[in-house]
């Protein structure tokens, strides 16, 4: 490599413009850079034919790239990346070159071009197999990660910078060591970026590159990242220090545990109780601690043991990494084992499930259907043999099936002593208690503790039971379709015959808008709903201004239909039940079970979330006595708050809680700075993080093309005219978003959520086209695009840029 010392005076040439930077680097490095010819505006305006002749003579019979190099882009103070045109694959002919140069210069948007303005021409690099962009730091906060966005499918060089096509994104910690890479190509990309940083003496760069079939890496352009003034100076050291703690924690977390089956472990944000959907990827401490207290600490395992699953040791389901919630998948898989199953079989199953998820990480949000076997269904034999051939002996398979049949038969029991009926009674009891109370005017801490306990025993515990029943119910429907006994249209009709609490919300809202029901009565029923159930910063319906304003048109629910199994369906389902070892139950009983499970899950969620809303409002009132607002309180944990009810503080209370708030704020900030994946299979996944991609769950039918509108949990109902005739994008499929259906929307896209989620059910009721759980990559494309197409029949979601 050329010694940069002799070029000390010329380094100022670097980043003066895109073209000059490339020419400087070509002279002063051994980087592979296509030949670069500058075209100045003064020369072009004076004699364009001469410029064209020179280009053709230099690059005869070659396809060309004509790229922008405006004085307003790609310098140390301003980027304007992507603001100006570049034209690729330009034939080496006078007319084509002229048109391309005019297009690029015209994109500068100047009435007259200054003489110093420029662009540059290069020959196109042949046989490109990978093209991409590397940011050497996170753009928003300067966190120490290489963000590598690349396309290895289209063979084009402009798919990333143009925002089109299929691409992949990987974050790589800047201090990553070579043994963490399992991809030689990715390792080469990082080494390429490091070389350019060293030459440019700058570690905050935006690099555009390509790789040909021979593996040669080409530099197309490099620009400084211009947002460095907004970055905190100590981010590198903070993350470096915390990452070492995370690795130590994971090394312990992934070890064998004496009371759990499974030789290894996996962490995931969307498996089992999917905290990413319920809480978001980086929840505030109060939200995460409430979720832990009400569900993932012990309630989740108590519910499963009650239903006949394994009586679990005192393991928590959720773990936090830098404040980010993950499900302990090994613990989850252990809890799906039937009680009494032989330990040798259990060990084999858990290891096989973990291995399948490790090899197919894209299934981490579908483990109940695609990985673990959680109950008997109509496809057990074919699915199990296909996914886990030769895992168990014939005798072991028989024993496993017997235990599954016993568990499933117990679940299907609809008598008053069955688990589904007992859960329904608990929820009814909680509802009765809620009807008799009002928020207290004092003693908030005492009431918070009481409401938490009440919510656990009468709310989240029965909800956990009903939610597990709903998964079993969905699997029966899914496998009945797979066996050809039912088709998807019949199943959709059956679901429309189920009356849910969501249907009641819509019908009552319509009555309010028609003047047939009082607004206050509506809010007394539904005012506790909020888009992020556990988030104190997300306003509930009662606190949302303009909830009943700007209504363009009332949504029309698909009419509730009557559903009756045909004689053939009844006969064939009875045969399947008998084949599955569940012959004591009829098809009529099965469908009553499915109906109660689906409706019960939605209703129980609606009821227990009132307790959570009341708790959050009381926390707000308690905090006001110290001068804390909702944002301050979001950084406390519920345990920190309630402990004060029984433990005397030996210091000033306000100072104590203020200190805890600052600790929570620091943890939350760090969690947002750290790049963490959606699934962690080993400590190496802390250093190399692929962006989550997911197969969307397409709901409804038909085709719609409309603008995208992004809403977060804190969006108000005021001034929401743009929602009309739009495709709405929300991160999670939460009931608190039901108000959007009153705004005449055209479709729905969610980042998280499955075919079983609340919004999937709601969209099916409305016949509204929806893509549920599309993943981070596709969701990001949608919210940054001007409009898109949602085609349910073809199972496609396409985001378009303004040019389209």
């Amino acid at each position: 490599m050329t010694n940069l010392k002799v070029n000390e005076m010329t380094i100022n040439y670097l980043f003066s413009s895109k073209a000059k930077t490339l020419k400087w680097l070509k002279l002063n490095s051994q980087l592979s850079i296509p030949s670069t010819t500058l075209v100045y505006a003064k020369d072009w305006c004076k004699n364009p034919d001469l410029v064209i002749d020179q280009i053709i003579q230099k690059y005869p019979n070659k396809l060309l790239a004509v790229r922008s190099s405006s004085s307003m882009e790609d310098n140390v103070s301003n980027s304007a990346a992507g603001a100006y045109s570049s034209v690729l694959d330009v034939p080496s002919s006078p007319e084509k070159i002229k048109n391309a140069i005019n297009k690029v210069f015209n994109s500068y948007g100047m009435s007259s071009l200054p003489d110093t303005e420029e662009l540059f021409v290069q020959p196109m690099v042949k046989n490109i197999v990978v093209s991409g962009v590397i940011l050497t730091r996170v753009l928003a906060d300067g966190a120490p990660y290489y963000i590598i966005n690349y396309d290895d499918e289209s063979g084009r060089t402009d798919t990333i910078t143009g925002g089109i096509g299929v691409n992949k994104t990987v974050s790589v910690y800047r201090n990553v060591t070579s043994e963490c890479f399992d991809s030689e190509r990715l390792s080469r990309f990082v080494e390429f970026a490091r070389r350019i940083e060293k030459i440019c003496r700058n570690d905050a760069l935006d690099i555009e590159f390509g790789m040909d079939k021979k593996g040669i890496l080409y530099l197309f352009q490099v620009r400084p990242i211009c947002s460095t003034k907004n970055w905190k100076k100590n981010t590198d050291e903070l993350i470096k220090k915390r990452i070492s703690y995370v690795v130590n924690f994971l090394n312990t977390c992934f070890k064998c545990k004496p009371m759990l089956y499974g030789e290894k472990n996996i962490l995931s944000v969307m498996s089992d109780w999917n905290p990413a959907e319920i809480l978001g990827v980086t929840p505030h401490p109060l939200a995460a601690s409430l979720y832990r207290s009400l569900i993932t600490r012990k309630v989740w395992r108590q519910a499963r043991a009650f239903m006949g699953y394994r009586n679990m040791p005192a393991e928590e389901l959720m773990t936090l990494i830098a404040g980010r919630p993950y499900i302990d998948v090994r613990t989850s898989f252990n809890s799906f084992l039937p009680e009494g199953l032989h330990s040798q079989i259990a060990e084999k199953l858990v290891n096989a499930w973990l291995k399948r998820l490790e090899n197919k990480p894209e299934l981490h949000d579908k483990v109940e259907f695609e990985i673990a076997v959680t109950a008997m269904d109509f496809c057990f034999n074919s699915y199990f043999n296909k996914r886990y051939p030769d895992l168990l002996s014939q005798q072991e398979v028989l024993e496993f099936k017997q235990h599954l049949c016993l568990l499933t038969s117990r679940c299907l029991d609809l008598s008053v002593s069955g688990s589904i009926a007992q859960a329904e009674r608990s929820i009814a009891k909680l509802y009765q208690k809620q009807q008799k109370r009002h928020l207290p005017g004092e003693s908030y801490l005492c009431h918070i503790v009481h409401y938490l306990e009440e919510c656990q025993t009468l709310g989240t515990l029965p909800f956990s039971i009903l939610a597990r029943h709903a998964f079993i119910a969905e699997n029966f429907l899914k496998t009945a379709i797979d066996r050809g006994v039912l088709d998807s249209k019949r199943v959709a009709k059956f679901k429309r015959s189920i009356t849910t609490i969501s249907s009641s919300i819509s019908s009552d809202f319509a009555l309010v808008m028609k003047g047939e029901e009082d607004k206050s009565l509506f809010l007394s029923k539904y005012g506790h709903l909020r888009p992020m159930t556990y988030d104190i910063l997300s306003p509930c319906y009662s606190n949302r201004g303009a909830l009943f304003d700007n209504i363009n048109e009332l949504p029309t629910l698909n009419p509730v239909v009557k559903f009756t199994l045909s004689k053939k369906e009844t006969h064939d389902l009875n045969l399947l039940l008998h084949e599955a070892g569940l012959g004591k139950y009829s098809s009529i009983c099965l469908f009553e079970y499915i109906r109660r499970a689906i409706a019960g899950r939605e209703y129980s969620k609606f009821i227990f979330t009132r307790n959570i809303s009341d708790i959050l409002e009381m926390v707000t009132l308690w905090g006001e006595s110290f001068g804390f607002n909702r944002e301050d309180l979001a950084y406390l944990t519920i345990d920190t708050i309630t402990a004060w009810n029984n433990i005397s503080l030996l210091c000033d209370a306000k100072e104590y809680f203020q200190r805890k708030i600052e600790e929570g704020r620091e943890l939350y900030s760090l969690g947002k700075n750290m790049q963490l994946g959606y699934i962690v299979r080993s400590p190496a996944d802390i250093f190399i993080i692929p962006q989550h991609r997911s197969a969307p769950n397409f709901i409804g039918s038909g085709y719609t093309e409309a603008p995208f509108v992004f809403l977060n949990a804190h969006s108000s109902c005021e001034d929401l005219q743009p929602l009309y005739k739009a495709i709405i994008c929300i991160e999670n499929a939460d009931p608190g978003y039901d108000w959007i259906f009153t705004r005449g929307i055209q479709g729905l896209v969610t980042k998280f959520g499955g075919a079983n989620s609340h919004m999937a059910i709601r969209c099916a009721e409305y016949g509204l086209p929806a893509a549920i759980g599309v993943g981070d990559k596709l969701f990001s494309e949608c919210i940054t695009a001007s409009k898109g197409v949602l085609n349910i029949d073809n199972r496609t979601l396409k985001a378009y840029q303004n040019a389209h």
Side-chain angles (χ1 to χ4, degrees):
M1 187 175 292
T2 304
N3 189 335
L4 291 181
K5 211 168 186 181
V6 299
N7 295 299
E8 195 73 48
M9 294 185 65
T10 62
I11 200 167
N12 290 330
Y13 201 56
L14 196 63
F15 304 136
S16 59
S17 76
K18 185 192 299 184
K20 292 185 177 69
T21 295
L22 288 176
K23 290 184 73 69
W24 186 91
L25 288 169
K26 192 167 181 65
L27 287 171
N28 294 280
S29 75
Q30 294 179 356
L31 295 168
S32 296
I33 301 173
S35 173
T36 302
T37 298
L38 268 71
V39 176
Y40 288 101
K42 63 178 181 179
D43 297 328
W44 180 250
C45 294
K46 182 178 179 182
N47 194 340
D49 291 337
L50 176 61
V51 172
I52 292 172
D53 287 343
Q54 292 172 342
I55 292 172
I56 292 176
Q57 288 178 21
K58 188 170 183 179
Y59 308 118
N61 301 317
K62 290 186 177 181
L63 287 176
L64 306 175
V66 181
R67 301 180 185 273
S68 65
S69 184
S70 169
S71 61
M72 297 173 288
E73 65 174 326
D74 297 352
N75 53 55
V76 293
S77 60
N78 185 45
S79 170
Y84 308 109
S85 295
S86 290
V87 185
L88 306 182
D89 296 313
V90 179
S92 187
S93 69
E95 183 180 356
K96 298 293 185 181
I97 293 173
K98 182 178 181 180
N99 290 339
I101 291 176
N102 281 332
K103 181 176 180 179
V104 174
F105 272 141
N106 288 338
S107 73
Y108 294 1
M110 301 177 182
S111 55
S112 61
L113 287 168
D115 289 348
T116 54
E117 282 299 327
E118 65 187 35
L119 55 75
F120 63 102
V121 179
Q122 295 176 309
M124 293 290 294
V125 178
K126 295 181 179 180
N127 299 319
I128 287 292
V129 293
V130 180
S131 65
V133 170
I134 303 173
L135 294 173
T136 63
R137 287 184 175 273
V138 178
L139 198 61
D141 52 28
Y145 295 88
Y146 295 102
I147 310 299
I148 305 172
N149 194 7
Y150 65 98
D151 166 19
D152 58 1
E153 297 183 29
S154 72
R156 297 177 58 174
T157 62
D158 62 339
T159 56
I160 306 302
T161 55
I164 56 176
V166 178
N167 55 81
K168 303 168 184 175
T169 302
V170 182
S171 301
V172 180
Y173 179 53
R174 288 182 58 85
N175 295 332
V176 66
T177 54
S178 58
E179 61 267 18
C180 290
F181 288 96
D182 57 11
S183 165
E184 181 183 351
R185 185 168 68 179
L186 189 62
S187 177
R188 289 192 61 207
F189 293 166
V190 171
E191 181 56 33
F192 181 66
R194 286 171 172 167
R195 285 177 59 201
I196 297 171
E197 287 177 317
K198 186 175 181 180
I199 295 167
C200 295
R201 303 178 186 179
N202 189 331
D203 68 356
L205 299 174
D206 181 347
I207 300 165
E208 185 181 339
F209 72 99
M211 186 174 76
D212 67 12
K213 287 182 178 179
K214 296 180 180 179
I216 298 173
L217 285 165
Y218 291 89
L219 176 65
F220 294 141
Q221 64 187 59
V222 57
R223 59 171 70 92
I225 295 175
C226 301
S227 57
T228 55
K229 59 182 177 295
N230 302 320
W231 298 349
K232 293 181 180 179
K233 294 182 179 180
N234 63 341
T235 300
D236 281 29
E237 287 305 312
L238 281 174
I239 291 181
K240 181 179 179 180
K241 185 177 181 181
R242 299 309 193 276
I243 277 184
S244 65
Y245 296 148
V246 170
V247 170
N248 290 337
F249 170 79
L250 290 177
N251 284 329
T252 300
C253 182
F254 288 162
K255 288 180 179 178
C256 291
K257 289 193 174 183
M259 291 180 284
L260 290 178
Y261 301 113
E263 297 172 355
K264 60 191 311 178
N265 198 5
I266 294 175
L267 303 178
S268 166
V269 301
M270 276 293 289
S271 297
D272 205 344
W273 275 91
N274 44 40
E277 179 185 353
I278 308 301
L279 301 172
V281 176
T282 52
H284 288 89
L286 179 59
S289 65
L290 265 173
Y291 197 59
R292 176 174 177 251
S293 175
L294 292 174
I295 293 172
T296 65
R297 180 180 286 159
K298 62 180 181 180
V299 164
W300 69 281
R301 55 182 168 82
Q302 291 173 336
R304 290 180 188 172
F306 184 75
M307 295 176 68
Y309 289 97
R310 184 187 174 198
N311 194 358
M312 290 286 291
E315 294 284 345
E316 293 198 26
L317 183 63
M318 185 175 74
T319 188
L320 295 172
I321 300 178
R324 293 194 181 192
Y326 284 83
I327 292 300
D328 185 308
V329 178
R330 176 172 58 187
T331 301
S332 167
F333 284 171
N334 270 260
S335 75
F336 287 140
L337 297 168
E339 176 63 20
L341 188 65
H342 193 282
S343 60
Q344 184 176 340
I345 301 174
E347 181 73 17
K348 288 181 180 181
L349 287 171
V350 172
N351 282 328
W353 295 345
L354 289 167
K355 184 67 174 177
R356 177 170 165 82
L357 180 57
E358 182 180 26
N359 294 335
K360 294 180 175 290
E362 69 275 11
L363 299 179
H364 76 121
D365 58 348
K366 302 174 178 67
V367 295
E368 293 93 337
F369 298 118
E370 300 288 346
I371 304 289
V373 183
T374 66
M376 182 53 66
D377 58 43
F378 300 138
C379 291
F380 173 86
N381 291 331
S382 59
Y383 285 174
F384 193 81
N385 291 334
K386 180 181 178 180
R387 294 169 183 170
Y388 309 108
D390 304 320
L391 175 66
L392 302 178
S393 68
Q394 287 186 350
Q395 183 58 39
E396 287 173 331
V397 171
L398 180 60
E399 182 180 341
F400 183 36
K401 287 178 67 174
Q402 288 173 341
H403 279 83
L404 282 177
C405 284
L406 182 64
L407 181 148
T408 310
S409 180
R410 181 175 170 179
C411 289
L412 289 172
D413 179 10
L414 295 180
S415 70
V416 293
S417 60
S419 59
I420 197 166
Q422 292 190 58
E424 290 168 341
R425 288 198 297 273
S426 293
I427 288 295
K429 186 175 180 180
L430 178 58
Y431 173 75
Q432 292 299 325
K433 286 179 174 289
Q434 291 173 347
Q435 297 307 298
K436 298 176 182 177
R437 72 181 185 219
H438 300 280
L439 283 181
E442 55 184 13
S443 303
Y444 298 122
L445 284 182
C446 293
H447 284 86
I448 289 171
V449 172
H450 172 70
Y451 285 9
L452 280 168
E453 178 69 22
E454 182 182 75
C455 191
Q456 289 172 358
T457 57
L458 299 178
T460 54
L461 179 58
F463 167 73
S464 301
I465 293 168
L466 291 164
R468 179 96 289 275
H469 279 296
F471 270 106
I472 296 171
E474 290 287 351
N475 215 30
F476 272 124
L477 293 174
K478 179 179 180 295
T479 54
I481 292 173
D482 292 345
R483 291 294 298 273
V485 171
L486 297 173
D487 63 36
S488 57
K489 290 183 178 179
R490 287 287 287 163
V491 169
K493 183 176 181 180
F494 165 67
K495 288 186 176 181
R496 291 201 306 273
S497 74
I498 303 173
T499 301
T500 68
I501 186 63
S502 300
S503 307
S504 301
I505 295 174
S506 296
S507 58
D508 285 353
F509 190 91
L511 290 175
V512 172
M513 299 315 299
K514 293 174 183 177
E516 297 175 15
E517 182 176 301
D518 190 76
K519 294 177 181 179
S520 61
L521 178 59
F522 179 89
L523 291 176
S524 71
K525 295 179 184 177
Y526 309 112
H528 65 281
L529 294 174
R530 64 184 79 220
M532 293 286 279
T533 299
Y534 298 82
D535 187 358
I536 197 170
L537 297 178
S538 176
C540 62
Y541 279 18
S542 291
N543 294 335
R544 284 182 176 269
L547 181 65
F548 302 100
D549 298 341
N550 299 323
I551 307 301
N552 301 99
E553 62 183 44
L554 289 172
T556 302
L557 278 169
N558 282 329
V560 176
V561 298
K562 290 184 178 181
F563 179 88
T564 305
L565 289 169
S566 69
K567 288 183 178 180
K568 179 172 174 47
E569 288 169 339
T570 301
H571 175 266
D572 291 349
L573 282 168
N574 285 336
L575 288 179
L576 289 183
L577 285 165
H578 182 77
E579 177 189 293
L582 303 170
K584 65 182 287 188
Y585 296 102
S586 68
S587 56
I588 303 301
C589 177
L590 174 65
F591 267 64
E592 178 60 19
Y593 165 79
I594 296 172
R595 186 187 303 275
R596 284 173 64 174
I598 293 174
R601 176 187 58 191
E602 296 303 303
Y603 180 70
S604 60
K605 182 190 298 183
F606 171 76
I607 296 300
F608 86 75
T609 53
R610 182 182 292 275
N611 267 51
I612 297 176
S613 184
D614 288 348
I615 289 166
L616 291 175
E617 295 309 308
M618 285 189 291
V619 167
T620 302
L621 294 171
W622 168 81
E624 287 176 355
S625 65
F626 295 103
F628 299 140
N629 58 30
R630 287 178 182 262
E631 184 180 358
D632 296 327
L633 296 167
Y635 295 107
L636 291 174
T637 68
I638 194 64
D639 294 327
T640 298
I641 295 170
T642 56
W644 196 48
N645 197 46
N646 302 100
I647 301 174
S648 172
L649 295 178
L650 300 179
C651 61
D652 180 75
K654 183 173 182 178
E655 292 180 3
Y656 170 79
F657 289 115
Q658 185 66 56
R659 187 167 64 252
K660 291 293 184 181
I661 288 169
E662 294 310 315
E663 290 174 3
R665 200 185 303 272
E666 181 182 351
L667 177 64
Y668 179 76
S669 177
L670 181 64
K672 292 185 77 69
N673 287 145
M674 286 187 70
Q675 298 285 304
L676 294 170
Y678 289 81
I679 187 168
V680 180
R681 295 165 290 179
S682 75
D685 287 340
I686 297 299
F687 301 103
I688 300 176
I689 309 110
Q691 194 172 75
H692 172 55
R693 306 177 84 186
S694 182
N697 299 280
F698 290 99
I699 307 298
S701 62
Y703 168 99
T704 185
E705 183 172 1
F708 286 118
V709 175
F710 171 61
L711 295 179
N712 62 36
H714 309 142
S715 299
S716 72
C717 302
E718 299 174 4
D719 193 26
L720 288 175
Q721 204 72 10
L723 269 62
Y724 184 59
K725 300 290 186 184
I727 300 174
I728 308 305
C729 301
I730 57 177
E731 291 205 345
N732 62 323
D734 193 280
Y737 280 110
D738 273 16
W739 60 269
I740 66 175
F741 296 112
T742 67
R743 277 7 191 225
I745 66 176
Q746 289 282 89
L748 181 69
V749 174
T750 75
K751 182 192 288 190
F752 304 113
N756 246 354
S757 66
H758 174 83
M759 281 301 183
I761 295 170
R762 297 297 278 134
C763 290
E765 290 177 328
Y766 284 115
L768 188 74
I772 306 295
V774 303
D776 193 62
K777 187 71 185 65
L778 185 52
F779 188 80
S780 296
E781 291 175 8
C782 291
I783 65 175
T784 55
S786 57
K787 67 176 183 178
V789 167
L790 181 55
N791 190 330
I792 303 302
D793 298 333
N794 290 338
R795 302 181 67 79
T796 56
L797 172 64
K798 178 72 175 178
Y800 292 118
Q801 301 302 324
N802 286 323
H804 295 273

